Structure formats: C-alpha cells, structure tokens
C-alpha cells in the first residue's frame, strides 16, 4: 500500500460532523455585523512581507518568529498572520478614505502563524474580525466592543469577561515606557530571555509576560506602583473615560486591566480583550483596539481606526462545551415514503429533521433517535391511518398524539 500522507502539524480538517457550528459562526457574523452597517471584505491570503513588517511591527513575536515567509520571483511573500494589515492595505489602495466615514469592514478566514501547536493554538487558525475607519471619538470604540459582545451573545456565549485598558498616545506612552524601564533596570538579570530582548525595543510588552518569575517581579510594590500609575495625558484620559461611560450606559460589563498591552505595535489608546474561564491557558477569544497611526504608516492618509479579531477555533471549543448539537426531531417509521414526506414538510418550515433511510427495525430507529435528538416523531401504521403522529420526548419518555398538521407548532413549542 502507498504511504499515507498526513495533515501538517498545527493544522486541522474541519470535518462534516463539525461544520454546522462553523457555518453558524459565519452566519451569525454576517447577521450581527450587518445590523451595525458592516460590509464583508475578502483580501488575499498572502501579501508582501513588508506589509506585515511595517503593519504589525518588527518588534512583535508575529513578525520576528511566527511568519510563514517564502520567496517567489525575487519577491518576499508571507501568508497572512492576521488581517488588519491586509484590510488597511486594501482600504488605502482602493481609495476608501474618500468614502463617507465611518467605513466599516469585516472579514473571516484562515490566518497562519508558526507557533508551538497546543490546545487553543494552531498554525493555521481562523479569525472573524472587524475594522472601523474614520472615527476618532470613543463612541466608535464602544460600538465595536458592543458588537463583539452581541456577536458572542448571538452564539449563546453570555458570560465572557471584557477587559479594557488605555495605552495612551505615542507621546504620553513614551514617558511611561521610560519609567517602566527605569524601575525594572535593577531586575534586568532576573527577567526571562524574551523580556530581556524586549526591554529596549518594546518595554510595554514585558507587562504581558506569562512567565511566573516575571509576573512575581511585576508584583513587587515599587514596580507595581509604576505599572499601575496613571500615566496617560489629559486628552487620552478623557477618551478613556468617555469609552467607559458609554460601556456603562450600554450595560457592557468590563474589568480594567493595566497589564493588558496586547502583542501588536500599532495600538494606541483603547485596547481590549474578551476572555473565557473555560479555555485553560489560551483564554482570550477576542483581542482588539484602536490604531490611529496605522493607515498613515502604511502610506495612506491620517485616518483613525479601531477593530478586533476573534479566534474561531477558541469560539468553537466554547460552543462545543456548551451544547451538543441535536436535530429538532428524528422520525421513526416503517414507511420510508411517509417519513420522507413528513421530514420534507418540517424541513421546509426550517426544522432540522432526519429519518432512517435504510429501513432498519423500529427499535433500532428509536435507539438512533435517542442519540441524535430529544424528540422522536413516531409514524406507525396506526398513526398514518388516522393522520396523527406520536411525539415521544426521549428525555422523559412521555408520549403524546398530535395531529400531523400540528406537528410543527408542537415542536416549536417544546
Ligand atoms: P495570544 O495571546 O492568545 O497569542 P494574540 O494576541 O497573539 O493572542 P491576536 O493576534 O490578537 O492574538 O488574535 C486575536 C485572537 O485570535 C486571539 O484572541 C485568539 O482567540 C486567536 N488566535 C491567535 N493566535 C492563534 C493561534 N495560533 N491559534 C488559534 N487561535 C489564535
Ligand atoms: Mg500570539
């Protein structure tokens, strides 16, 4: 036999038995985002490497360690590790700055990062995300956070935690960076290797470090005092305050976290993450923030922007834990033709229905029903003659007789 070729480490098939939930995530994205005036954009999966070096930032892990880069015809190309840079490129290239603000774009699709595969971390993974261009006021930040929360709610995910922080603007952040460096200087040799490397280039990233010995250092009172200090300038503070007051008004619960700095270089002012307690150590489902200088840095006009991205694999594992997906009902009958027509009647009304296509014994069909649904619709010879269906609740074993023409209403009422 020929040698089997396996899927590449860190990538996964999405199999037919799992695809329903993926389709639901995509369908709800379209529905919820459309309500907020977003239009979908589909950009290429590979771009010029320089786009990510400039757009994501060359001090980031993504650019330094995680990119899939290859040469073709003397050009350096990279599989997209995230999609904000690609969307901004397209925004600039297609003159979208001329459109009336805000320009609201969303996307979904695969991203590629060369990371160590583990639970919640793949090398090809999927994101759904949004970007809003042209509004600098904090109402835009509040709206994108609210939309993320409402998207999660549409999937039945109600109890996730929103964390927010403000990174200030490049001016006020500079001072904060210097203070952090100063207070950490005596501890330099005790920091992990990554933190030592980031110390000069990107000192704020240290605060994000997950290594226990570094976390302990940040807990030392004199260091913690600097980290927790209010460093942002008056204008940034006002922006942050307004954002919080919108979130309060909109009943979006949030926690402020001064250690939340996010991995990417381009954020200013608002940053946020949405986390779940059900995901183990890779617990962030959504990350985002404001990036007012990115469009300009990539050669466009001065256009403020704010957006976020959600990891769909992590969403999937939350949904999977939540409820096993079941059919609305399974039809049990010795008459394939009768089962067929009842199934079709109910399917055209929007229900998910299956029946036995292979004429198995009645008891086998009932067994199968119990595995795939909470309801069996029994169409025995007696029922067929009198135009009834026996509806059996497979959880309680209760059974009642319903007129065939009322089955849909009965199921919807269950
Ligand atoms: P993390 O701290 O988990 O590495 P990140 O800051 O690198 O996250 P972002 O670039 O903000 O992540 O991406 C947004 C979301 O995409 C994350 O919150 C996460 O849900 C998901 N994500 C990021 N990297 C991966 C990956 N390698 N595999 C699966 N999902 C991922
Ligand atoms: Mg990462």
């Amino acid at each position: 036999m020929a040698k089997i070729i396996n899927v590449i480490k860190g990538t996964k098939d999405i199999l037919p038995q799992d695809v329903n939930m993926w389709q639901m995530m995509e369908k709800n994205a379209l529905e919820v985002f459309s309500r907020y005036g977003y239009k979908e954009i589909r950009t290429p999966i590979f771009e010029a490497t320089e786009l990510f070096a400039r757009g994501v930032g060359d001090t980031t892990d993504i650019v330094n360690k995680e990119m899939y880069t290859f040469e073709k015809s003397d050009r350096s190309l990279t599989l997209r590790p995230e999609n904000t840079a690609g969307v901004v490129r397209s925004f600039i290239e297609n003159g979208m700055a001329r459109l009336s603000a805000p320009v609201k774009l969303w996307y979904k699709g695969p991203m590629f990062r060369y990371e160590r595969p583990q639970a919640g971390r793949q090398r090809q993974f999927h994101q759904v995300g949004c970007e809003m261009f042209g509004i600098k006021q904090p109402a835009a930040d509040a709206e994108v956070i609210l939309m993320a929360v409402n998207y999660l709610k549409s999937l039945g995910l109600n109890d996730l935690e929103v964390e927010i922080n403000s990174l200030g603007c490049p001016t006020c952040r500079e001072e904060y960076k210097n203070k952090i460096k100063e207070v950490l200087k005596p501890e330099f040799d005790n920091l992990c290797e990554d933190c030592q490397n980031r110390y000069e280039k990107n000192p704020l990233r240290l605060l994000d470090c997950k290594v226990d010995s570094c976390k302990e250092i940040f807990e030392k009172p004199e260091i913690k005092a600097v980290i927790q200090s209010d460093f942002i300038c008056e204008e940034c503070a006002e922006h942050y305050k307004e954002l919080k007051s919108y979130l309060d008004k909109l009943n979006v619960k949030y926690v402020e976290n001064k250690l939340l700095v996010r991995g990417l270089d381009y954020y200013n002012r608002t940053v946020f993450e949405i986390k779940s307690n059900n995901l183990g150590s890779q617990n962030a489902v959504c990350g985002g923030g404001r990036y007012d200088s990115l469009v300009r840095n990539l050669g466009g006009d001065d256009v403020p922007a704010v957006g976020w991205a959600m990891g769909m694999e992590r969403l999937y594992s939350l949904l999977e834990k939540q409820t096993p997906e079941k059919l609305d009902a399974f039809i049990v009958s010795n008459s394939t033709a009768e089962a067929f027509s009842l199934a079709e009647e109910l399917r055209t009304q929007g229900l998910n229905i299956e029946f036995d296509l292979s004429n198995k014994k009645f008891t086998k069909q009932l067994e199968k029903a119990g595995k795939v649904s909470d309801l069996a619709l029994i169409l025995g010879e007696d029922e067929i003659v009198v135009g009834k269906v026996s509806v059996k609740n497979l959880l309680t074993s209760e059974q009642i007789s319903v007129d065939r023409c009322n089955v849909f209403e009965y199921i919807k009422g269950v």
Side-chain angles (χ1 to χ4, degrees), residues 141-189:
D141 312 46
E143 195 186 80
V144 299
I145 294 174
L146 178 68
M147 188 171 86
V149 169
N150 282 338
Y151 172 58
L152 292 167
K153 275 192 190 155
S154 81
L155 297 169
L157 301 170
N158 297 307
D159 52 356
L160 303 185
E161 188 146 283
V162 180
E163 287 190 358
I164 61 170
N165 190 19
S166 175
L167 298 178
C169 55
T171 323
C172 53
R173 190 159 57 206
E174 205 50 41
E175 239 172 87
Y176 185 58
K177 276 187 192 172
N178 289 335
K179 281 192 187 146
I180 300 252
K181 274 168 68 179
E182 208 177 285
V183 74
L184 285 176
K185 205 171 196 167
E187 298 285 349
F188 186 85
D189 293 336

Side-chain angles (χ1 to χ4, degrees), residues 71 118 146 183 279 347:
E71 298 275 327
Q118 54 193 288
L146 178 68
V183 74
L279 280 178
R347 286 168 176 163

Side-chain angles (χ1 to χ4, degrees), residues 113 115 120-122 125 127 262 282 284-287 309 311 314:
R113 295 185 195 176
E115 304 194 73
R121 228 181 251 305
Q122 291 178 199
F125 63 100
Q127 285 184 337
R262 310 271 309 120
Q282 312 309 329
V285 177
C286 173
R314 293 191 198 173

Side-chain angles (χ1 to χ4, degrees), residues 327 329-340 343 347 353-366 368-369 372 377:
L327 293 170
F330 187 90
I331 301 172
V332 173
S333 178
N334 285 333
S335 164
T336 305
E338 287 290 336
F340 226 135
R347 286 168 176 163
I353 304 287
E354 282 209 64
F355 63 96
D356 173 45
L357 291 159
S358 57
N359 222 351
K360 287 201 190 65
K361 288 211 178 86
F362 217 77
T363 46
K364 287 269 174 230
Q365 291 188 30
L366 258 182
K368 165 91 179 179
V372 294
L377 304 180

Side-chain angles (χ1 to χ4, degrees), residues 75-94:
R75 289 211 67 178
S76 179
L77 306 172
T78 292
L79 299 183
R80 62 183 187 192
E82 56 97 65
N83 208 29
T84 299
V87 172
V88 170
R89 178 205 44 72
S90 179
F91 177 89
I92 297 168
E93 200 169 345
N94 293 294

